[in-house]
Amino acid sequence: MKLEIDQQRLLSELETLATFSDAEPPAVTRIVFTPTDLKARAWLIARCEEAGLAVRQDAIGNIFARWSGADKAAPAVGTGSHIDAIPNAGKYDGVVGVLGGLEAIRALRRSGFRPKNSIELLVFATEEPTRFSIGCLGSRLLSGTDRDGESVDEVRRKAGLNGNLQDVKLAKGYYKAFLELHIEQGPLLERAQISLGIVTSIAAPASLHISIEGAGGHAGGVLMPDRRDALCAAAELILAIENAARSSAAADTVATVGECDVFPGAVNSIPSRVRMTLDIRDTDQARRDGVMKAIERTSQRISSKRKVSIQWELVNADAPADCAAEVRAALADSCRADGFPFLEMVSRAYHDSLFISRIAPMGMLFIPCRSGYSHRPDEYAAPEDIARGALVLAESLAKLSA
Ligand code: GLV
Ligand code: MN
Ligand code: MN
């Protein structure tokens, strides 16, 4: 079997998909189910159909594009990622795994390979937490993991998705294996000058909404000892969060306050209310939870010292996921057969594969991204790395579906 990745077409599709954006290039903003995202999804569905794949969507908007195998009743081998993008993002996060997956399937078809198991491209709906506060909503529902989806009901119906959310869950054994190709979103591959990473596990993510209520007032009239400034309390808490993550027993603990809304937001008004988010992750779930507890204790001290109320709402606190030995072996064998060195590594970003691991043996393949940059407009992956990733993906799909 001679597999050839059409690098030129893959890159030109990547550029085209980046034009479906609500930001000025090179930034990409593609929030799920916005008119722009719906156009991107329609474009992608057309590309899948053009490739001869049978396309269906479920009630939350996960897109399945299937190449039927000789044994139609056997579980499929899946691959895929997401195309939604956070505000002011780049063009590679998720997209490399979707278009790389599509090109891998096309390359297999061109080669004359006939799979025994069906091969399916899965485009996960709403991987990014921008719109619905929680990440990986599509894969959470596929794997039957929490969340009733009520808050998304109206939005997805407006996007033309009217099925029953209860039906999104995949039957056990639906996938024989699932592989996701993705940019690393960190600098380790580039530093090691190695072009491929085989993921061993995905770190445990958690996120919270924090709401601080103090007292507003006139910026000139209220003297400093009388103040209950919600933003000053937030500032102290943000630094305490940074300190808690920095002083954790391992460098694997990371914490980020990425959103901070100040009310009423006027130059001459004392902030009475702040709403902010906390994203905290670790490869070790117990250590992450310990750091979260320590932050909560500090927040209680700040609350009583500054006489403000601080409320926490846990959005998600997920367990880490291990990649399956057989999927890692298929990826490693493909790399070895091609003479491509690879690094075994942890994924510090989360991915839909975290949830898919609950219903199927899962593996992930990383390619480098320049300086480790991701979730920013200058995110970049080299064409030859993208093509190499798609090739190893295609070879591994072939091994797992033969
Ligand atoms: C996914 O985008 C993440 O935040 O890890
Ligand atoms: Mn992302
Ligand atoms: Mn991603």
PDB file of all heavy atoms in Angstrom, residues 348-363:
ATOM      1  N   ARG A 348      -1.099  18.446  27.843  1.00  0.00           N
ATOM      2  CA  ARG A 348      -1.485  19.379  28.917  1.00  0.00           C
ATOM      3  C   ARG A 348      -2.756  20.129  28.555  1.00  0.00           C
ATOM      4  O   ARG A 348      -3.452  20.633  29.420  1.00  0.00           O
ATOM      5  CB  ARG A 348      -0.347  20.349  29.191  1.00  0.00           C
ATOM      6  CG  ARG A 348       0.786  19.641  29.871  1.00  0.00           C
ATOM      7  CD  ARG A 348       2.091  20.371  29.796  1.00  0.00           C
ATOM      8  NE  ARG A 348       3.134  19.430  30.145  1.00  0.00           N
ATOM      9  CZ  ARG A 348       3.372  19.009  31.372  1.00  0.00           C
ATOM     10  NH1 ARG A 348       2.667  19.464  32.377  1.00  0.00           N
ATOM     11  NH2 ARG A 348       4.319  18.134  31.605  1.00  0.00           N
ATOM     12  N   ALA A 349      -3.029  20.239  27.247  1.00  0.00           N
ATOM     13  CA  ALA A 349      -4.326  20.773  26.817  1.00  0.00           C
ATOM     14  C   ALA A 349      -5.334  19.637  26.919  1.00  0.00           C
ATOM     15  O   ALA A 349      -4.964  18.471  26.878  1.00  0.00           O
ATOM     16  CB  ALA A 349      -4.240  21.264  25.383  1.00  0.00           C
ATOM     17  N   TYR A 350      -6.600  19.988  27.057  1.00  0.00           N
ATOM     18  CA  TYR A 350      -7.607  18.914  26.999  1.00  0.00           C
ATOM     19  C   TYR A 350      -8.116  18.800  25.567  1.00  0.00           C
ATOM     20  O   TYR A 350      -7.942  19.706  24.742  1.00  0.00           O
ATOM     21  CB  TYR A 350      -8.734  19.113  28.008  1.00  0.00           C
ATOM     22  CG  TYR A 350      -9.581  20.357  27.882  1.00  0.00           C
ATOM     23  CD1 TYR A 350     -10.466  20.541  26.834  1.00  0.00           C
ATOM     24  CD2 TYR A 350      -9.533  21.351  28.865  1.00  0.00           C
ATOM     25  CE1 TYR A 350     -11.262  21.670  26.743  1.00  0.00           C
ATOM     26  CE2 TYR A 350     -10.326  22.486  28.792  1.00  0.00           C
ATOM     27  CZ  TYR A 350     -11.197  22.637  27.714  1.00  0.00           C
ATOM     28  OH  TYR A 350     -11.972  23.754  27.629  1.00  0.00           O
ATOM     29  N   HIS A 351      -8.731  17.678  25.301  1.00  0.00           N
ATOM     30  CA  HIS A 351      -9.235  17.390  23.956  1.00  0.00           C
ATOM     31  C   HIS A 351     -10.468  16.521  24.104  1.00  0.00           C
ATOM     32  O   HIS A 351     -10.662  15.878  25.136  1.00  0.00           O
ATOM     33  CB  HIS A 351      -8.170  16.628  23.148  1.00  0.00           C
ATOM     34  CG  HIS A 351      -6.878  17.361  23.048  1.00  0.00           C
ATOM     35  ND1 HIS A 351      -6.665  18.386  22.169  1.00  0.00           N
ATOM     36  CD2 HIS A 351      -5.723  17.250  23.771  1.00  0.00           C
ATOM     37  CE1 HIS A 351      -5.449  18.870  22.326  1.00  0.00           C
ATOM     38  NE2 HIS A 351      -4.852  18.199  23.296  1.00  0.00           N
ATOM     39  N   ASP A 352     -11.273  16.472  23.029  1.00  0.00           N
ATOM     40  CA  ASP A 352     -12.444  15.599  23.070  1.00  0.00           C
ATOM     41  C   ASP A 352     -12.055  14.152  23.326  1.00  0.00           C
ATOM     42  O   ASP A 352     -12.834  13.385  23.882  1.00  0.00           O
ATOM     43  CB  ASP A 352     -13.221  15.737  21.755  1.00  0.00           C
ATOM     44  CG  ASP A 352     -13.874  17.107  21.648  1.00  0.00           C
ATOM     45  OD1 ASP A 352     -14.738  17.415  22.481  1.00  0.00           O
ATOM     46  OD2 ASP A 352     -13.489  17.887  20.764  1.00  0.00           O
ATOM     47  N   SER A 353     -10.840  13.809  22.941  1.00  0.00           N
ATOM     48  CA  SER A 353     -10.374  12.432  23.161  1.00  0.00           C
ATOM     49  C   SER A 353     -10.382  12.048  24.649  1.00  0.00           C
ATOM     50  O   SER A 353     -10.482  10.869  24.984  1.00  0.00           O
ATOM     51  CB  SER A 353      -8.962  12.269  22.598  1.00  0.00           C
ATOM     52  OG  SER A 353      -9.025  12.285  21.198  1.00  0.00           O
ATOM     53  N   LEU A 354     -10.280  13.049  25.527  1.00  0.00           N
ATOM     54  CA  LEU A 354     -10.360  12.776  26.974  1.00  0.00           C
ATOM     55  C   LEU A 354     -11.675  12.049  27.285  1.00  0.00           C
ATOM     56  O   LEU A 354     -11.704  11.094  28.065  1.00  0.00           O
ATOM     57  CB  LEU A 354     -10.289  14.097  27.752  1.00  0.00           C
ATOM     58  CG  LEU A 354     -10.411  14.033  29.259  1.00  0.00           C
ATOM     59  CD1 LEU A 354      -9.067  13.736  29.895  1.00  0.00           C
ATOM     60  CD2 LEU A 354     -10.921  15.343  29.822  1.00  0.00           C
ATOM     61  N   PHE A 355     -12.754  12.512  26.658  1.00  0.00           N
ATOM     62  CA  PHE A 355     -14.066  11.921  26.945  1.00  0.00           C
ATOM     63  C   PHE A 355     -14.295  10.660  26.116  1.00  0.00           C
ATOM     64  O   PHE A 355     -14.908   9.708  26.597  1.00  0.00           O
ATOM     65  CB  PHE A 355     -15.164  12.970  26.725  1.00  0.00           C
ATOM     66  CG  PHE A 355     -14.968  14.096  27.693  1.00  0.00           C
ATOM     67  CD1 PHE A 355     -14.295  15.251  27.322  1.00  0.00           C
ATOM     68  CD2 PHE A 355     -15.338  13.950  29.025  1.00  0.00           C
ATOM     69  CE1 PHE A 355     -14.032  16.259  28.241  1.00  0.00           C
ATOM     70  CE2 PHE A 355     -15.073  14.950  29.944  1.00  0.00           C
ATOM     71  CZ  PHE A 355     -14.424  16.101  29.562  1.00  0.00           C
ATOM     72  N   ILE A 356     -13.764  10.659  24.891  1.00  0.00           N
ATOM     73  CA  ILE A 356     -13.923   9.474  24.049  1.00  0.00           C
ATOM     74  C   ILE A 356     -13.218   8.273  24.697  1.00  0.00           C
ATOM     75  O   ILE A 356     -13.644   7.134  24.550  1.00  0.00           O
ATOM     76  CB  ILE A 356     -13.413   9.761  22.612  1.00  0.00           C
ATOM     77  CG1 ILE A 356     -14.320  10.796  21.933  1.00  0.00           C
ATOM     78  CG2 ILE A 356     -13.323   8.490  21.778  1.00  0.00           C
ATOM     79  CD1 ILE A 356     -15.781  10.403  21.790  1.00  0.00           C
ATOM     80  N   SER A 357     -12.164   8.544  25.488  1.00  0.00           N
ATOM     81  CA  SER A 357     -11.448   7.438  26.156  1.00  0.00           C
ATOM     82  C   SER A 357     -12.366   6.683  27.113  1.00  0.00           C
ATOM     83  O   SER A 357     -12.065   5.566  27.511  1.00  0.00           O
ATOM     84  CB  SER A 357     -10.244   7.977  26.930  1.00  0.00           C
ATOM     85  OG  SER A 357     -10.686   8.605  28.112  1.00  0.00           O
ATOM     86  N   ARG A 358     -13.494   7.292  27.484  1.00  0.00           N
ATOM     87  CA  ARG A 358     -14.411   6.607  28.402  1.00  0.00           C
ATOM     88  C   ARG A 358     -15.265   5.568  27.684  1.00  0.00           C
ATOM     89  O   ARG A 358     -15.915   4.743  28.310  1.00  0.00           O
ATOM     90  CB  ARG A 358     -15.322   7.629  29.092  1.00  0.00           C
ATOM     91  CG  ARG A 358     -14.499   8.594  29.933  1.00  0.00           C
ATOM     92  CD  ARG A 358     -15.333   9.654  30.592  1.00  0.00           C
ATOM     93  NE  ARG A 358     -14.439  10.598  31.277  1.00  0.00           N
ATOM     94  CZ  ARG A 358     -14.836  11.583  32.035  1.00  0.00           C
ATOM     95  NH1 ARG A 358     -16.115  11.769  32.245  1.00  0.00           N
ATOM     96  NH2 ARG A 358     -13.960  12.386  32.612  1.00  0.00           N
ATOM     97  N   ILE A 359     -15.296   5.652  26.340  1.00  0.00           N
ATOM     98  CA  ILE A 359     -16.116   4.669  25.605  1.00  0.00           C
ATOM     99  C   ILE A 359     -15.323   3.895  24.551  1.00  0.00           C
ATOM    100  O   ILE A 359     -15.877   3.021  23.900  1.00  0.00           O
ATOM    101  CB  ILE A 359     -17.337   5.345  24.917  1.00  0.00           C
ATOM    102  CG1 ILE A 359     -16.898   6.548  24.059  1.00  0.00           C
ATOM    103  CG2 ILE A 359     -18.389   5.768  25.936  1.00  0.00           C
ATOM    104  CD1 ILE A 359     -17.945   6.975  23.053  1.00  0.00           C
ATOM    105  N   ALA A 360     -14.043   4.254  24.376  1.00  0.00           N
ATOM    106  CA  ALA A 360     -13.262   3.549  23.338  1.00  0.00           C
ATOM    107  C   ALA A 360     -11.776   3.670  23.646  1.00  0.00           C
ATOM    108  O   ALA A 360     -11.344   4.654  24.253  1.00  0.00           O
ATOM    109  CB  ALA A 360     -13.544   4.170  21.968  1.00  0.00           C
ATOM    110  N   PRO A 361     -10.964   2.698  23.199  1.00  0.00           N
ATOM    111  CA  PRO A 361      -9.510   2.839  23.323  1.00  0.00           C
ATOM    112  C   PRO A 361      -9.086   4.069  22.507  1.00  0.00           C
ATOM    113  O   PRO A 361      -9.463   4.196  21.344  1.00  0.00           O
ATOM    114  CB  PRO A 361      -8.961   1.560  22.700  1.00  0.00           C
ATOM    115  CG  PRO A 361     -10.122   0.609  22.668  1.00  0.00           C
ATOM    116  CD  PRO A 361     -11.351   1.439  22.545  1.00  0.00           C
ATOM    117  N   MET A 362      -8.332   4.960  23.122  1.00  0.00           N
ATOM    118  CA  MET A 362      -8.049   6.264  22.501  1.00  0.00           C
ATOM    119  C   MET A 362      -6.552   6.520  22.432  1.00  0.00           C
ATOM    120  O   MET A 362      -5.785   6.100  23.303  1.00  0.00           O
ATOM    121  CB  MET A 362      -8.752   7.328  23.353  1.00  0.00           C
ATOM    122  CG  MET A 362      -8.474   8.773  23.057  1.00  0.00           C
ATOM    123  SD  MET A 362      -6.908   9.417  23.720  1.00  0.00           S
ATOM    124  CE  MET A 362      -7.181   9.478  25.477  1.00  0.00           C
ATOM    125  N   GLY A 363      -6.136   7.235  21.396  1.00  0.00           N
ATOM    126  CA  GLY A 363      -4.744   7.675  21.299  1.00  0.00           C
ATOM    127  C   GLY A 363      -4.673   9.028  20.621  1.00  0.00           C
ATOM    128  O   GLY A 363      -5.607   9.421  19.902  1.00  0.00           O
TER     129      GLY A 363
END
